[in-house]
Amino acid sequence: MRLFTITCLLISLVFGVLVLGVGLVLQELQAAGVLEETLVIFSSDNGIPFPNGRTNLYDPGTREPFMISHPKHRSSWGKVRNQTFGH
């Protein structure tokens, strides 16, 4: 149970640092006067390289966080789409 608690705390810390980093980038864009003209894209890899991770096409291996934000499309903020797409 203790290892689980430590793991959860570490994950929370990582996400906290990520949020701070994104916030700093947005602040710099705003300070430069280009935030309203900037398309912000955030993406990440899709998991750990273990069974059911990114090394296969099972469900966990195909999911990846991908967020797009643009000031001119505020009506779409907060919407979640579960379509699968590729490049």
Side-chain angles (χ1 to χ4, degrees), residues 46-64:
N46 56 352
I48 56 176
F50 295 111
N52 294 329
R54 65 177 167 236
T55 58
N56 60 54
L57 292 176
Y58 294 114
D59 190 50
T62 61
R63 293 182 179 253
E64 170 178 324

Side-chain angles (χ1 to χ4, degrees), residues 80-85:
V80 176
R81 292 181 176 86
N82 289 315
Q83 293 101 340
T84 301
F85 64 93

Side-chain angles (χ1 to χ4, degrees), residues 9-57:
L9 288 172
L10 288 173
I11 290 170
S12 296
L13 178 64
V14 168
F15 279 107
V17 170
L18 174 68
V19 169
L20 287 173
V22 171
L24 289 172
V25 170
L26 295 176
Q27 284 179 354
E28 289 297 318
L29 290 170
Q30 188 170 21
V34 295
L35 180 61
E36 293 296 317
E37 304 166 8
T38 303
L39 175 67
V40 179
I41 299 173
F42 175 82
S43 184
S44 180
D45 68 11
N46 56 352
I48 56 176
F50 295 111
N52 294 329
R54 65 177 167 236
T55 58
N56 60 54
L57 292 176

